[in-house]
Each structure stands twice: as C-alpha cells, then as structure tokens.
PDB file of all heavy atoms in Angstrom:
ATOM      1  N   GLU A 526       0.817  -1.218  -0.010  1.00  0.00           N
ATOM      2  CA  GLU A 526      -0.003  -0.011  -0.010  1.00  0.00           C
ATOM      3  C   GLU A 526       0.868   1.269  -0.009  1.00  0.00           C
ATOM      4  O   GLU A 526       0.412   2.285  -0.480  1.00  0.00           O
ATOM      5  CB  GLU A 526      -0.900   0.007   1.210  1.00  0.00           C
ATOM      6  CG  GLU A 526      -1.959  -1.111   1.195  1.00  0.00           C
ATOM      7  CD  GLU A 526      -2.857  -1.056   2.412  1.00  0.00           C
ATOM      8  OE1 GLU A 526      -2.693  -0.137   3.229  1.00  0.00           O
ATOM      9  OE2 GLU A 526      -3.744  -1.899   2.503  1.00  0.00           O
ATOM     10  N   ARG A 527       2.059   1.183   0.573  1.00  0.00           N
ATOM     11  CA  ARG A 527       2.914   2.384   0.661  1.00  0.00           C
ATOM     12  C   ARG A 527       3.491   2.719  -0.716  1.00  0.00           C
ATOM     13  O   ARG A 527       4.078   1.865  -1.368  1.00  0.00           O
ATOM     14  CB  ARG A 527       4.022   2.160   1.653  1.00  0.00           C
ATOM     15  CG  ARG A 527       4.916   3.351   1.834  1.00  0.00           C
ATOM     16  CD  ARG A 527       6.025   3.064   2.815  1.00  0.00           C
ATOM     17  NE  ARG A 527       6.918   4.193   2.970  1.00  0.00           N
ATOM     18  CZ  ARG A 527       8.046   4.178   3.664  1.00  0.00           C
ATOM     19  NH1 ARG A 527       8.360   3.045   4.329  1.00  0.00           N
ATOM     20  NH2 ARG A 527       8.804   5.253   3.763  1.00  0.00           N
ATOM     21  N   HIS A 528       3.285   3.971  -1.160  1.00  0.00           N
ATOM     22  CA  HIS A 528       3.792   4.365  -2.503  1.00  0.00           C
ATOM     23  C   HIS A 528       5.340   4.430  -2.462  1.00  0.00           C
ATOM     24  O   HIS A 528       5.924   5.102  -1.645  1.00  0.00           O
ATOM     25  CB  HIS A 528       3.226   5.722  -2.875  1.00  0.00           C
ATOM     26  CG  HIS A 528       3.803   6.175  -4.182  1.00  0.00           C
ATOM     27  ND1 HIS A 528       3.273   5.853  -5.418  1.00  0.00           N
ATOM     28  CD2 HIS A 528       4.917   6.913  -4.467  1.00  0.00           C
ATOM     29  CE1 HIS A 528       3.990   6.370  -6.367  1.00  0.00           C
ATOM     30  NE2 HIS A 528       5.004   7.013  -5.828  1.00  0.00           N
ATOM     31  N   GLN A 529       5.902   3.651  -3.364  1.00  0.00           N
ATOM     32  CA  GLN A 529       7.359   3.673  -3.489  1.00  0.00           C
ATOM     33  C   GLN A 529       7.756   3.180  -4.877  1.00  0.00           C
ATOM     34  O   GLN A 529       7.255   2.150  -5.300  1.00  0.00           O
ATOM     35  CB  GLN A 529       8.030   2.835  -2.430  1.00  0.00           C
ATOM     36  CG  GLN A 529       9.422   3.237  -2.045  1.00  0.00           C
ATOM     37  CD  GLN A 529       9.868   2.662  -0.723  1.00  0.00           C
ATOM     38  OE1 GLN A 529       9.686   1.472  -0.464  1.00  0.00           O
ATOM     39  NE2 GLN A 529      10.448   3.489   0.117  1.00  0.00           N
ATOM     40  N   ARG A 530       8.590   3.935  -5.581  1.00  0.00           N
ATOM     41  CA  ARG A 530       8.983   3.526  -6.920  1.00  0.00           C
ATOM     42  C   ARG A 530      10.025   2.417  -6.826  1.00  0.00           C
ATOM     43  O   ARG A 530      10.928   2.450  -5.997  1.00  0.00           O
ATOM     44  CB  ARG A 530       9.563   4.692  -7.704  1.00  0.00           C
ATOM     45  CG  ARG A 530       8.520   5.753  -8.067  1.00  0.00           C
ATOM     46  CD  ARG A 530       9.147   6.942  -8.720  1.00  0.00           C
ATOM     47  NE  ARG A 530       9.548   6.642 -10.085  1.00  0.00           N
ATOM     48  CZ  ARG A 530      10.741   6.856 -10.588  1.00  0.00           C
ATOM     49  NH1 ARG A 530      11.745   7.301  -9.846  1.00  0.00           N
ATOM     50  NH2 ARG A 530      10.986   6.624 -11.871  1.00  0.00           N
ATOM     51  N   GLN A 531       9.912   1.409  -7.682  1.00  0.00           N
ATOM     52  CA  GLN A 531      10.874   0.334  -7.769  1.00  0.00           C
ATOM     53  C   GLN A 531      11.492   0.361  -9.150  1.00  0.00           C
ATOM     54  O   GLN A 531      10.781   0.216 -10.154  1.00  0.00           O
ATOM     55  CB  GLN A 531      10.199  -1.011  -7.509  1.00  0.00           C
ATOM     56  CG  GLN A 531      11.150  -2.201  -7.599  1.00  0.00           C
ATOM     57  CD  GLN A 531      10.429  -3.527  -7.524  1.00  0.00           C
ATOM     58  OE1 GLN A 531       9.313  -3.649  -8.061  1.00  0.00           O
ATOM     59  NE2 GLN A 531      11.024  -4.486  -6.879  1.00  0.00           N
ATOM     60  N   LEU A 532      12.794   0.580  -9.225  1.00  0.00           N
ATOM     61  CA  LEU A 532      13.485   0.615 -10.465  1.00  0.00           C
ATOM     62  C   LEU A 532      13.625  -0.799 -11.075  1.00  0.00           C
ATOM     63  O   LEU A 532      14.004  -1.740 -10.405  1.00  0.00           O
ATOM     64  CB  LEU A 532      14.898   1.239 -10.316  1.00  0.00           C
ATOM     65  CG  LEU A 532      14.940   2.736 -10.011  1.00  0.00           C
ATOM     66  CD1 LEU A 532      16.374   3.161  -9.814  1.00  0.00           C
ATOM     67  CD2 LEU A 532      14.289   3.555 -11.144  1.00  0.00           C
ATOM     68  N   ILE A 533      13.245  -0.880 -12.343  1.00  0.00           N
ATOM     69  CA  ILE A 533      13.403  -2.146 -13.097  1.00  0.00           C
ATOM     70  C   ILE A 533      14.743  -2.180 -13.782  1.00  0.00           C
ATOM     71  O   ILE A 533      15.488  -3.158 -13.742  1.00  0.00           O
ATOM     72  CB  ILE A 533      12.256  -2.340 -14.076  1.00  0.00           C
ATOM     73  CG1 ILE A 533      10.924  -2.384 -13.342  1.00  0.00           C
ATOM     74  CG2 ILE A 533      12.471  -3.589 -14.915  1.00  0.00           C
ATOM     75  CD1 ILE A 533       9.716  -2.347 -14.254  1.00  0.00           C
ATOM     76  N   ALA A 534      15.124  -1.090 -14.420  1.00  0.00           N
ATOM     77  CA  ALA A 534      16.414  -0.946 -15.087  1.00  0.00           C
ATOM     78  C   ALA A 534      16.630   0.501 -15.418  1.00  0.00           C
ATOM     79  O   ALA A 534      15.668   1.317 -15.562  1.00  0.00           O
ATOM     80  CB  ALA A 534      16.442  -1.810 -16.361  1.00  0.00           C
ATOM     81  N   THR A 535      17.925   0.904 -15.591  1.00  0.00           N
ATOM     82  CA  THR A 535      18.262   2.285 -15.902  1.00  0.00           C
ATOM     83  C   THR A 535      19.176   2.325 -17.101  1.00  0.00           C
ATOM     84  O   THR A 535      19.799   1.327 -17.529  1.00  0.00           O
ATOM     85  CB  THR A 535      18.965   2.995 -14.719  1.00  0.00           C
ATOM     86  OG1 THR A 535      20.217   2.341 -14.519  1.00  0.00           O
ATOM     87  CG2 THR A 535      18.133   2.848 -13.434  1.00  0.00           C
ATOM     88  N   ASN A 536      19.265   3.535 -17.703  1.00  0.00           N
ATOM     89  CA  ASN A 536      20.155   3.778 -18.839  1.00  0.00           C
ATOM     90  C   ASN A 536      19.909   2.802 -19.978  1.00  0.00           C
ATOM     91  O   ASN A 536      20.834   2.200 -20.559  1.00  0.00           O
ATOM     92  CB  ASN A 536      21.632   3.682 -18.415  1.00  0.00           C
ATOM     93  CG  ASN A 536      21.978   4.755 -17.373  1.00  0.00           C
ATOM     94  OD1 ASN A 536      21.671   5.938 -17.555  1.00  0.00           O
ATOM     95  ND2 ASN A 536      22.546   4.353 -16.257  1.00  0.00           N
ATOM     96  N   ILE A 537      18.636   2.626 -20.315  1.00  0.00           N
ATOM     97  CA  ILE A 537      18.233   1.716 -21.373  1.00  0.00           C
ATOM     98  C   ILE A 537      17.711   2.484 -22.554  1.00  0.00           C
ATOM     99  O   ILE A 537      17.184   3.584 -22.420  1.00  0.00           O
ATOM    100  CB  ILE A 537      17.185   0.701 -20.900  1.00  0.00           C
ATOM    101  CG1 ILE A 537      16.034   1.451 -20.178  1.00  0.00           C
ATOM    102  CG2 ILE A 537      17.813  -0.345 -19.982  1.00  0.00           C
ATOM    103  CD1 ILE A 537      14.912   0.576 -19.746  1.00  0.00           C
ATOM    104  N   ASP A 538      17.883   1.940 -23.745  1.00  0.00           N
ATOM    105  CA  ASP A 538      17.410   2.569 -24.971  1.00  0.00           C
ATOM    106  C   ASP A 538      16.089   1.969 -25.418  1.00  0.00           C
ATOM    107  O   ASP A 538      15.239   2.670 -25.965  1.00  0.00           O
ATOM    108  CB  ASP A 538      18.471   2.395 -26.091  1.00  0.00           C
ATOM    109  CG  ASP A 538      19.828   2.902 -25.686  1.00  0.00           C
ATOM    110  OD1 ASP A 538      19.954   4.125 -25.500  1.00  0.00           O
ATOM    111  OD2 ASP A 538      20.770   2.103 -25.527  1.00  0.00           O
ATOM    112  N   THR A 539      15.907   0.670 -25.200  1.00  0.00           N
ATOM    113  CA  THR A 539      14.722  -0.026 -25.697  1.00  0.00           C
ATOM    114  C   THR A 539      14.157  -0.933 -24.626  1.00  0.00           C
ATOM    115  O   THR A 539      14.882  -1.621 -23.905  1.00  0.00           O
ATOM    116  CB  THR A 539      15.063  -0.901 -26.952  1.00  0.00           C
ATOM    117  OG1 THR A 539      15.644  -0.063 -27.954  1.00  0.00           O
ATOM    118  CG2 THR A 539      13.813  -1.543 -27.515  1.00  0.00           C
ATOM    119  N   VAL A 540      12.817  -0.893 -24.487  1.00  0.00           N
ATOM    120  CA  VAL A 540      12.097  -1.863 -23.628  1.00  0.00           C
ATOM    121  C   VAL A 540      11.308  -2.785 -24.549  1.00  0.00           C
ATOM    122  O   VAL A 540      10.441  -2.358 -25.295  1.00  0.00           O
ATOM    123  CB  VAL A 540      11.129  -1.139 -22.667  1.00  0.00           C
ATOM    124  CG1 VAL A 540      10.424  -2.176 -21.780  1.00  0.00           C
ATOM    125  CG2 VAL A 540      11.851  -0.125 -21.816  1.00  0.00           C
ATOM    126  N   MET A 541      11.698  -4.068 -24.490  1.00  0.00           N
ATOM    127  CA  MET A 541      10.975  -5.072 -25.287  1.00  0.00           C
ATOM    128  C   MET A 541       9.907  -5.664 -24.397  1.00  0.00           C
ATOM    129  O   MET A 541      10.196  -6.307 -23.381  1.00  0.00           O
ATOM    130  CB  MET A 541      11.894  -6.155 -25.790  1.00  0.00           C
ATOM    131  CG  MET A 541      12.815  -5.682 -26.936  1.00  0.00           C
ATOM    132  SD  MET A 541      13.685  -7.063 -27.729  1.00  0.00           S
ATOM    133  CE  MET A 541      14.540  -6.159 -29.058  1.00  0.00           C
ATOM    134  N   LEU A 542       8.655  -5.438 -24.756  1.00  0.00           N
ATOM    135  CA  LEU A 542       7.518  -5.991 -24.028  1.00  0.00           C
ATOM    136  C   LEU A 542       7.211  -7.389 -24.600  1.00  0.00           C
ATOM    137  O   LEU A 542       6.776  -7.497 -25.727  1.00  0.00           O
ATOM    138  CB  LEU A 542       6.289  -5.080 -24.171  1.00  0.00           C
ATOM    139  CG  LEU A 542       6.501  -3.593 -23.836  1.00  0.00           C
ATOM    140  CD1 LEU A 542       5.229  -2.827 -24.066  1.00  0.00           C
ATOM    141  CD2 LEU A 542       7.014  -3.450 -22.429  1.00  0.00           C
ATOM    142  N   ILE A 543       7.512  -8.427 -23.832  1.00  0.00           N
ATOM    143  CA  ILE A 543       7.383  -9.776 -24.306  1.00  0.00           C
ATOM    144  C   ILE A 543       6.055 -10.354 -23.862  1.00  0.00           C
ATOM    145  O   ILE A 543       5.702 -10.330 -22.686  1.00  0.00           O
ATOM    146  CB  ILE A 543       8.534 -10.661 -23.742  1.00  0.00           C
ATOM    147  CG1 ILE A 543       9.873  -9.978 -23.890  1.00  0.00           C
ATOM    148  CG2 ILE A 543       8.529 -12.021 -24.441  1.00  0.00           C
ATOM    149  CD1 ILE A 543      10.286  -9.659 -25.313  1.00  0.00           C
ATOM    150  N   CYS A 544       5.288 -10.893 -24.827  1.00  0.00           N
ATOM    151  CA  CYS A 544       3.972 -11.437 -24.558  1.00  0.00           C
ATOM    152  C   CYS A 544       3.798 -12.691 -25.448  1.00  0.00           C
ATOM    153  O   CYS A 544       4.059 -12.613 -26.671  1.00  0.00           O
ATOM    154  CB  CYS A 544       2.900 -10.389 -24.865  1.00  0.00           C
ATOM    155  SG  CYS A 544       1.221 -10.938 -24.441  1.00  0.00           S
ATOM    156  N   GLY A 545       3.399 -13.801 -24.844  1.00  0.00           N
ATOM    157  CA  GLY A 545       3.202 -14.995 -25.614  1.00  0.00           C
ATOM    158  C   GLY A 545       1.890 -15.024 -26.350  1.00  0.00           C
ATOM    159  O   GLY A 545       0.889 -14.494 -25.890  1.00  0.00           O
ATOM    160  N   LEU A 546       1.898 -15.650 -27.539  1.00  0.00           N
ATOM    161  CA  LEU A 546       0.698 -15.760 -28.363  1.00  0.00           C
ATOM    162  C   LEU A 546      -0.051 -17.035 -27.953  1.00  0.00           C
ATOM    163  O   LEU A 546      -0.434 -17.857 -28.780  1.00  0.00           O
ATOM    164  CB  LEU A 546       1.060 -15.814 -29.843  1.00  0.00           C
ATOM    165  CG  LEU A 546       1.431 -14.441 -30.449  1.00  0.00           C
ATOM    166  CD1 LEU A 546       2.059 -14.582 -31.809  1.00  0.00           C
ATOM    167  CD2 LEU A 546       0.193 -13.542 -30.516  1.00  0.00           C
ATOM    168  N   ASP A 547      -0.219 -17.207 -26.671  1.00  0.00           N
ATOM    169  CA  ASP A 547      -0.993 -18.292 -26.090  1.00  0.00           C
ATOM    170  C   ASP A 547      -1.946 -17.722 -25.073  1.00  0.00           C
ATOM    171  O   ASP A 547      -2.473 -16.621 -25.271  1.00  0.00           O
ATOM    172  CB  ASP A 547      -0.057 -19.374 -25.499  1.00  0.00           C
ATOM    173  CG  ASP A 547       0.981 -18.790 -24.537  1.00  0.00           C
ATOM    174  OD1 ASP A 547       0.855 -17.618 -24.198  1.00  0.00           O
ATOM    175  OD2 ASP A 547       1.877 -19.558 -24.116  1.00  0.00           O
ATOM    176  N   GLY A 548      -2.105 -18.378 -23.944  1.00  0.00           N
ATOM    177  CA  GLY A 548      -2.971 -17.798 -22.934  1.00  0.00           C
ATOM    178  C   GLY A 548      -2.402 -16.558 -22.285  1.00  0.00           C
ATOM    179  O   GLY A 548      -3.097 -15.844 -21.530  1.00  0.00           O
ATOM    180  N   ASP A 549      -1.144 -16.240 -22.549  1.00  0.00           N
ATOM    181  CA  ASP A 549      -0.492 -15.061 -22.006  1.00  0.00           C
ATOM    182  C   ASP A 549      -0.887 -13.775 -22.725  1.00  0.00           C
ATOM    183  O   ASP A 549      -0.747 -12.670 -22.198  1.00  0.00           O
ATOM    184  CB  ASP A 549       1.021 -15.241 -22.060  1.00  0.00           C
ATOM    185  CG  ASP A 549       1.810 -14.062 -21.480  1.00  0.00           C
ATOM    186  OD1 ASP A 549       1.558 -13.779 -20.256  1.00  0.00           O
ATOM    187  OD2 ASP A 549       2.593 -13.478 -22.190  1.00  0.00           O
TER     188      ASP A 549
END
C-alpha cells in the first residue's frame, strides 16, 4: 500500500515488451 517507486532498469534505450501468443 505504501507508495514507493521500484526501479526495473536504468540507462536503457529499448524496452521489449514480451507477450506469448498463447494464454499469456
């Protein structure tokens, strides 16, 4: 519940959003 940012990665050029062509 407490608001806090969580870094996933820094200094990146591209974010590839991976999604399966199945139930995902």
Side-chain angles (χ1 to χ4, degrees):
E526 295 182 0
R527 182 181 178 185
H528 175 88
Q529 207 163 45
R530 292 175 75 233
Q531 178 187 38
L532 290 177
I533 299 171
T535 67
N536 297 310
I537 50 176
D538 305 294
T539 303
V540 180
M541 287 191 178
L542 309 179
I543 313 299
C544 184
L546 284 167
D547 50 9
D549 183 57

